[in-house]
Amino acid sequence: MSRVLIIGAGGVGGVVAHKCAQAAAVFDHITLASRTLARCENIRRQIKELQGRDIDIAQVDADNVPETVALIRKVKPDVVINVALPYQDLPIMDACLEAGVPYLDTANYEPRDVAKFEYKWQWAYRERYEKAGLMALLGSGFDPGVTNVFCAYAQKHHFDEIHSVDIVDCNAGSHGKAFATNFNPEINLREVTANGRYWENGKWIETKPMEISEVFDFPGVGDKKAYLIYHEELESLVLNIKGLKRIRFWMTFGDEYLTHLRVLGNVGMLRIDPVDYKGTPVVPMELLKVLLPDPSSLAEKYTGKTSIGCIIEGVKDGKPKKIFIYNICDHAECYKEVRAQAVSYTTAVPAMVGAMMMVTGKWKKAGVQHMEQMDPDPFLEQLAKFGLPWHVKEL
């Protein structure tokens, strides 16, 4: 039995709390904390109604390290699950170090003033976490997260060498809004408007945003056009998957979404630097975030499915081999279970399972670790048990 502190009460944080409540044999005490206590209150009521469990809630400013340390020492968790904003990864990592508690997140750190995400800032914590004898597990969501574990599973069970990986992410759902993002608008829009990047033959190749597209047959969904973008798991997978010659990340976007994105970019609403408005500095992207629908509000009327996985090619016993490892998740079913849409659900379930691996000792290694460095088998077993069944298809 263990205690867990969840920091962040957005769409993902809510599902993490629900899923920890479902795993009563592992998590006997749950605390959910956020800057906005009302969000925690709402989630606490839902969990009592749907899961029949009581959880504790707390208010915390995750940018404030002493405040977060004080909360950690009060709660005495066996692990901290960080599902706050990526801007807050480093202060929460600092707080976990000071309080002597293992750390887990679902997305890598991003500085507020630069639309760039990479692991260098968190990799800088390796030595400190090793010396403290603490584990920091990075990217325990779906992508990154499950996609990394799919690659590790393929490496362990299906290939002698993996030569190429295409991570493909399709949300074929419909939320009925003219334009909305499935997770934090600011983070989402920064991600998809950045230059694309992929790794091939030992070097990184950069592309313009949405410059390269390809049609994939997504299980449970069908043919959809996906666009090559950069995603953080590529950065660790190129180091940890042996024999790799190429790795790319693809995501689907509807025509209406892309039109809105182009117009917003053209009029300057995607800028992350402040502009002067009647003597007050305003960041256009932050204003846009206020105007767009809260991602958690989309859940009730969301229909359709997500289909996410890895197309992997390589060699087994001297012969070429190609497989597709994937998951299909239904938006409406997620809402029935935990009052969330599938994008939040597919991120949150792996966060809970990753924490489960840590507190049960299935995954235990001091330092800053990535998902593909761990044994994939116990993780994937629990992933399927808690709502994300996965499949392997020979191609």
Side-chain angles (χ1 to χ4, degrees):
M1 304 292 276
S2 58
R3 302 170 66 88
V4 60
L5 171 61
I6 304 159
I7 300 179
V12 175
V15 183
V16 172
H18 275 275
K19 284 297 176 177
C20 286
Q22 289 179 7
V26 176
F27 301 107
D28 63 333
H29 187 277
I30 302 162
T31 301
L32 176 66
S34 171
R35 190 193 306 265
T36 308
L37 197 60
R39 284 180 173 268
C40 299
E41 290 273 14
N42 185 49
I43 293 166
R44 177 165 66 176
R45 285 193 298 269
Q46 288 181 354
I47 290 173
K48 182 64 173 178
E49 175 192 348
L50 298 174
Q51 316 302 336
R53 286 193 65 184
D54 294 308
I55 69 167
D56 288 344
I57 61 172
Q59 190 168 31
V60 68
D61 177 0
D63 290 315
N64 186 317
V65 175
E67 189 175 318
T68 307
V69 170
L71 176 62
I72 294 172
R73 286 178 173 160
K74 179 182 177 183
V75 174
K76 297 181 174 61
D78 296 286
V79 64
V80 169
I81 299 177
N82 168 20
V83 280
L85 294 175
Y87 311 140
Q88 296 166 320
D89 286 0
L90 302 190
I92 296 175
M93 289 184 80
D94 286 331
C96 285
L97 268 177
E98 187 172 336
V101 175
Y103 166 92
L104 176 150
D105 66 32
T106 61
N108 70 0
Y109 171 73
E110 293 185 39
R112 291 181 187 271
D113 56 347
V114 182
K116 186 176 185 178
F117 51 101
E118 57 185 320
Y119 279 118
K120 69 177 184 181
W121 292 284
Q122 290 178 280
W123 283 348
Y125 282 73
R126 282 170 170 160
E127 187 177 349
R128 279 172 283 173
Y129 268 82
E130 286 173 4
K131 285 185 176 179
L134 296 173
M135 183 175 184
L137 184 63
L138 305 186
S140 189
F142 204 103
D143 44 346
V146 175
T147 50
N148 301 60
V149 178
F150 282 167
C151 290
Y153 181 84
Q155 184 169 252
K156 181 177 179 179
H157 296 287
H158 287 275
F159 295 93
D160 297 321
E161 277 192 358
I162 290 175
H163 292 163
S164 75
V165 176
D166 283 298
I167 300 170
V168 292
D169 183 324
C170 172
N171 177 15
S174 174
H175 46 56
K177 303 290 185 181
F179 183 76
T181 62
N182 294 297
F183 55 94
N184 183 279
E186 195 177 345
I187 303 302
N188 189 184
L189 295 172
R190 282 162 60 119
E191 176 183 298
V192 301
T193 55
N195 282 346
R197 195 157 64 116
Y198 66 98
W199 191 85
E200 187 169 26
N201 296 324
K203 63 181 181 180
W204 290 101
I205 299 168
E206 192 160 297
T207 68
K208 296 294 183 184
M210 311 296 180
E211 179 183 7
I212 299 173
S213 64
E214 191 171 318
V215 174
F216 293 91
D217 181 7
F218 288 92
V221 171
D223 287 350
K224 293 286 183 182
K225 182 187 284 188
Y227 295 83
L228 189 149
I229 68 172
Y230 178 66
H231 226 240
E232 65 241 55
E233 64 260 50
L234 305 187
E235 193 176 12
S236 68
L237 287 167
V238 299
L239 301 176
N240 295 318
I241 301 300
K242 60 185 179 183
L244 195 62
K245 297 177 181 178
R246 186 185 69 195
I247 185 166
R248 302 177 295 187
F249 186 98
W250 307 82
M251 185 173 282
T252 61
F253 302 99
D255 290 340
E256 191 172 7
Y257 179 94
L258 292 175
T259 298
H260 276 83
L261 203 64
R262 186 165 55 252
V263 172
L264 290 168
N266 287 342
V267 299
M269 285 302 296
L270 301 182
R271 288 175 56 174
I272 62 171
D273 57 312
V275 298
D276 181 80
Y277 176 70
K278 296 182 178 180
T280 301
V282 176
V283 176
M285 181 81 86
E286 293 179 0
L287 174 62
L288 180 62
K289 176 183 174 181
V290 174
L291 298 174
L292 290 175
D294 184 329
S296 63
S297 72
L298 305 175
E300 186 173 2
K301 296 182 180 180
Y302 225 129
T303 59
K305 298 175 181 178
T306 62
S307 180
I308 312 171
C310 299
I311 300 170
I312 303 173
E313 293 187 64
V315 174
K316 179 68 174 178
D317 299 326
K319 297 178 182 179
K321 184 175 183 178
K322 184 177 183 180
I323 65 171
F324 195 174
I325 311 181
Y326 63 92
N327 162 264
I328 302 167
C329 193
D330 187 285
H331 286 287
E333 292 301 316
C334 294
Y335 183 76
K336 287 179 188 176
E337 183 191 346
V338 294
R339 299 293 186 265
Q341 35 96 341
V343 176
S344 295
Y345 192 93
T346 53
T347 304
V349 176
M352 183 279 288
V353 175
M356 179 188 291
M357 294 297 101
M358 294 170 71
V359 300
T360 59
K362 296 285 178 61
W363 288 0
K364 191 173 184 179
K365 189 176 181 182
V368 175
Q369 308 296 336
H370 289 276
M371 303 287 281
E372 70 272 15
Q373 295 174 278
M374 304 293 112
D375 182 2
D377 295 354
F379 178 92
L380 290 175
E381 178 185 353
Q382 294 300 320
L383 188 75
K385 179 180 176 182
F386 281 94
L388 293 179
W390 49 280
H391 314 276
V392 180
K393 180 181 179 180
E394 297 275 350
L395 299 177

